[in-house]
Amino acid sequence: IKYFYGQLNPKTKEQIENLLRNGMNKELRDRLCCRMTFGTAGLRSAMGAGFCYINDLTVIQSTQGMYKYLERCFSDFKQRGFVVGYDTRGQVTSSCSSQRLAKLTAAVLLAKDVPVYLFSRYVPTPFVPYAVQKLKAVAGVMITASHNRKEDNGYKVYWETGAQITSPHDKEILKCIEECVEPWNGSWNDNLVDTSPLKRDPLQDICRRYMEDLKTSVLQLNSKTTLKFVHTSFHGVGHDYVQLAFKVFGFKPPIPVPEQKDPDPDFSTVKCPNPEEGESVLELSLRLAEKENARIVLATDPDADRLAAAELQENGCWKVFTGNELAALFGWWMFDCWKKNKSRNADVKNVYMLATTVSSKILKAIALKEGFHFEETLPGFKWIGSRIIDLLENGKEVLFAFEESIGFLCGTSVLDKDGVSAAVVVAEMASYLETMNITLKQQLVKVYEKYGYHISKTSYFLCYEPPTIKSIFERLRNFDSPKEYPKFCGTFAILHVRDITTGYDSSQPNKKSVLPVSKNSQMITFTFQNGCVATLRTSGTEPKIKYYAEMCASPDQSDTALLEEELKKLIDALIENFLQPSKNGLIWRSV
């Protein structure tokens, strides 16, 4: 409690005082007796008072821990410096905003004589890893909670490579944070951001270099396209940067959704700021597109690292593409461009595409037919970024990587998902197809006809009780008897089980998972006799149990209605038998 009494933010100090005054000991314990840990996207929590929340004090403590760890890892830390970026989030009740938290992050380091590259205004999340690489900084932090609800914020850490940190760095940083909980002299002094000669603003330089890198992949037909695009930035950072990227690609600027183009930390026109939720949250952009006679809608999430896309069909309905469907199009497009532009001695066996293990296997099907390599990683782009570094160091070429939750990476200029570059690549792909009178949806069908239909469904349940989540997964590990996984799900026979939490994989000769063990999260994958693959896992950033299921058909299986019916029945069985929402009090996703 003394740390919150001694801190200089009156709003969070007042929150703790009120809890004490009103004898709310349980909530005090909840707030003060546990600390945030690194999930799939760094530290992420609600804004407010407490060590398990994002606030001035926990950001100062986290940065002090970062300083201690980086000083140990890099002898040239004070020559190379550190990058800090932020989105547009904010909360009046805790006097907490991404910009303020970024300034405090910078202040801790400036007070220790570390050069800090602090962006002078909000930026897309991919600008931070890009800047870390280009400026040769030792690390960087982005203050963002991406597409989470408005109450949340986060602290996303990138290593010198430009990829998000993975183990052991995350665990070592947490240890260092625990050793540095007392704020140092100067840590609260955010005036240093305005007075220190060690503070630099990388905005103009990084924006210019990022756009120049984008330019290297432009086709020549964009300025001639008759297609019109609508873009929504979901009240976040994306508007200016997507406009600029379209200009670089030779397009006319996309039509912005006026009510959503400027930053608004309340996300006041959407029930949740996640474009992945589909048509219900894209309402304003779809209506504007109909009015403007634009056939394609592009939506970047609030920190512009993810992309949703929709296309108007001939019947007047909108097709909102899933992350897996967009990935099928990206996979075809990126490989097609590589084939057309490759040098004479380029070897297809040197080419790679990557996806997280809960994402569609469509890239695997394309790779098998075309001769390039496909690899899977654990969920979370930090694992993709880490693997890309290994591949690049071994002279490989990575064309594309994705996660089904609309996270895409075209090329390797950035080592994290990037909604800005993905938006212009979709626009270019659509413009190219338009010259042949083909729509994105028609091209998707062509991809599936050539490589096999991959029909998937992803959704989730909300669960705010960690013990309930644990018991659901423990039941699956001890289904009919102790240490026995289920052999059936309803009437569907299970061929293999892989449990990433424990490291078990029944398909491997030694029964050990090839993917790394991830003890801090729950994740079990079932491969069924009928060819379906289904995964149950907890979210790394929200109180959700997610499920993913996909039917992977060979090219000669073209009865999509049959495949869809089989998938629906299996998902119903999965929910009823394994998740038991009524018994466990799970909250269904609201559509």
Side-chain angles (χ1 to χ4, degrees):
I1 289 172
K2 70 169 184 171
Y3 293 122
F4 281 96
Y5 261 60
Q7 71 160 309
L8 303 182
N9 182 331
K11 291 282 177 73
T12 43
K13 184 178 175 182
E14 188 186 332
Q15 286 178 17
I16 297 293
E17 284 173 341
N18 285 340
L19 292 172
L20 264 174
R21 196 180 305 118
N22 296 320
M24 298 175 76
N25 293 340
K26 185 188 179 303
E27 188 169 342
L28 264 175
R29 248 194 313 276
D30 290 346
R31 284 176 179 244
L32 297 173
C33 292
C34 68
R35 189 172 284 285
M36 293 175 289
T37 56
F38 285 96
T40 51
L43 303 173
R44 197 177 285 185
S45 187
M47 291 178 273
F51 296 122
C52 59
Y53 284 0
I54 292 279
N55 53 62
D56 293 10
L57 181 62
T58 52
V59 162
I60 284 172
Q61 291 173 330
S62 300
T63 309
Q64 290 180 169
M66 281 286 295
Y67 170 82
K68 191 168 183 183
Y69 184 60
L70 292 170
E71 191 182 38
R72 190 194 302 164
C73 293
F74 298 99
S75 59
D76 55 356
F77 181 19
K78 291 186 178 178
Q79 286 75 52
R80 290 169 61 188
F82 190 94
V83 176
V84 182
Y86 55 93
D87 68 9
T88 57
R89 286 176 175 263
Q91 187 183 63
V92 175
T93 53
S94 60
S95 194
C96 210
S97 72
S98 295
Q99 184 176 27
R100 173 170 169 75
L101 298 175
K103 284 183 173 181
L104 287 169
T105 302
V108 171
L109 299 168
L110 290 168
K112 289 289 184 183
D113 299 322
V114 175
V116 175
Y117 297 96
L118 173 66
F119 284 97
S120 56
R121 76 192 288 256
Y122 52 82
V123 289
T125 290
F127 272 40
V128 170
Y130 183 81
V132 169
Q133 278 188 294
K134 293 297 176 187
L135 301 171
K136 296 183 169 51
V138 298
V141 159
M142 176 71 184
I143 307 292
T144 181
S146 191
H147 58 281
N148 275 40
R149 62 194 192 128
K150 67 181 180 181
E151 291 83 5
D152 293 352
N153 217 325
Y155 187 93
K156 196 171 185 181
V157 182
Y158 295 91
W159 202 241
E160 63 169 339
T161 54
Q164 284 182 62
I165 57 164
T166 55
S167 196
H169 298 311
D170 51 2
K171 292 178 180 65
E172 292 301 316
I173 291 167
L174 284 174
K175 275 189 211 165
C176 289
I177 292 170
E178 292 286 1
E179 294 163 12
C180 301
V181 290
E182 186 80 53
W184 300 331
N185 287 339
S187 285
W188 284 100
N189 185 10
D190 58 356
N191 288 335
L192 281 172
V193 164
D194 302 312
T195 59
S196 172
L198 291 171
K199 196 246 11 198
R200 294 153 201 178
D201 175 15
L203 182 67
Q204 298 301 326
D205 178 44
I206 290 303
C207 197
R208 176 184 56 78
R209 288 163 79 170
Y210 175 89
M211 294 300 165
E212 277 174 6
D213 272 355
L214 264 191
K215 223 185 265 183
T216 57
S217 57
V218 179
L219 296 178
Q220 299 308 309
L221 50 90
N222 297 339
S223 58
K224 300 184 181 75
T225 188
T226 57
L227 281 179
K228 286 167 85 176
F229 302 91
V230 159
H231 170 243
T232 172
S233 49
F234 264 67
H235 299 294
V237 307
H239 171 74
D240 293 341
Y241 301 99
V242 170
Q243 292 276 316
L244 200 51
F246 264 68
K247 189 178 173 186
V248 162
F249 260 56
F251 287 111
K252 294 184 184 77
I255 302 158
V257 178
E259 303 94 326
Q260 296 176 335
K261 81 177 180 69
D262 296 321
D264 170 11
D266 289 324
F267 306 114
S268 48
T269 67
V270 287
K271 68 178 171 96
C272 79
N274 185 356
E276 197 186 348
E277 295 291 335
E279 206 159 330
S280 62
V281 290
L282 294 172
E283 182 73 24
L284 284 174
S285 47
L286 300 182
R287 299 298 81 83
L288 177 65
E290 287 163 3
K291 185 178 148 197
E292 294 283 351
N293 200 26
R295 203 179 79 205
I296 291 171
V297 165
L298 300 166
T300 46
D301 69 341
D303 68 328
D305 69 344
R306 304 190 315 148
L307 177 81
E311 181 182 59
L312 187 62
Q313 304 302 298
E314 278 189 2
N315 63 3
C317 296
W318 285 92
K319 162 67 180 169
V320 181
F321 296 94
T322 66
N324 286 332
E325 289 170 336
L326 277 177
L329 287 166
F330 276 121
W332 157 76
W333 175 251
M334 296 302 287
F335 187 68
D336 196 60
C337 289
W338 179 84
K339 279 194 297 187
K340 285 173 182 167
N341 300 317
K342 71 178 191 310
S343 58
R344 195 177 298 167
N345 58 353
D347 184 359
V348 73
K349 290 185 172 59
N350 218 33
V351 169
Y352 281 72
M353 290 194 194
L354 283 75
T356 59
T357 188
V358 293
S359 303
S360 173
K361 311 294 182 238
I362 185 62
L363 296 185
K364 183 180 182 181
I366 299 173
L368 281 169
K369 194 153 188 159
E370 300 293 349
F372 62 86
H373 291 274
F374 167 74
E375 285 192 9
E376 281 187 341
T377 71
L378 287 175
F381 240 88
K382 65 182 185 181
W383 300 106
I384 286 178
S386 177
R387 182 60 186 142
I388 288 174
I389 290 161
D390 294 342
L391 291 169
L392 294 179
E393 283 175 354
N394 285 292
K396 307 302 180 190
E397 187 175 2
V398 181
L399 299 185
F400 175 64
F402 88 103
E403 59 185 4
E404 54 70 41
S405 53
I406 60 173
F408 309 106
L409 174 56
C410 301
T412 53
S413 287
V414 179
L415 294 180
D416 201 4
K417 53 187 179 281
D418 184 354
V420 178
S421 61
V424 282
V425 172
V426 168
E428 185 165 72
M429 185 199 311
S431 300
Y432 169 78
L433 291 169
E434 172 73 0
T435 63
M436 297 178 291
N437 209 22
I438 299 170
T439 66
L440 289 171
K441 189 182 177 194
Q442 286 166 344
Q443 181 57 34
L444 180 65
V445 170
K446 285 175 185 282
V447 171
Y448 285 149
E449 283 174 346
K450 184 173 181 181
Y451 301 108
Y453 275 90
H454 285 62
I455 296 169
S456 58
K457 171 86 192 289
T458 300
S459 195
Y460 60 82
F461 288 89
L462 290 166
C463 183
Y464 296 96
E465 302 295 330
T468 302
I469 292 174
K470 192 168 185 205
S471 72
I472 287 170
F473 283 90
E474 282 306 314
R475 176 175 165 265
L476 294 174
R477 294 184 182 108
N478 305 276
F479 200 71
D480 294 318
S481 55
K483 297 192 176 174
E484 286 287 329
Y485 292 88
K487 294 178 176 61
F488 282 85
C489 179
T491 59
F492 295 95
I494 294 168
L495 196 61
H496 294 299
V497 178
R498 182 185 65 193
D499 188 341
I500 292 294
T501 311
T502 64
Y504 172 77
D505 187 344
S506 68
S507 71
Q508 296 298 318
N510 63 359
K511 305 298 180 203
K512 288 185 177 172
S513 168
V514 176
L515 288 174
V517 176
S518 185
K519 288 178 185 170
N520 294 334
S521 59
Q522 301 284 355
M523 181 170 147
I524 303 177
T525 299
F526 302 94
T527 302
F528 290 88
Q529 213 123 34
N530 66 357
C532 182
V533 179
T535 297
L536 301 175
R537 70 176 275 258
T538 48
S539 168
T541 56
E542 295 166 285
K544 292 175 178 177
I545 300 176
K546 294 185 168 185
Y547 63 85
Y548 311 77
E550 182 174 51
M551 291 292 294
C552 305
S554 55
D556 56 354
Q557 284 180 277
S558 57
D559 190 341
T560 55
L562 198 68
L563 292 168
E564 280 168 0
E565 180 62 23
E566 182 84 344
L567 183 66
K568 184 186 180 305
K569 283 180 185 167
L570 193 140
I571 288 170
D572 289 345
L574 197 73
I575 291 168
E576 185 187 332
N577 293 284
F578 289 177
L579 293 178
Q580 302 177 300
S582 301
K583 182 187 167 193
N584 290 310
L586 306 182
I587 302 163
W588 290 73
R589 172 188 181 179
S590 59
V591 179

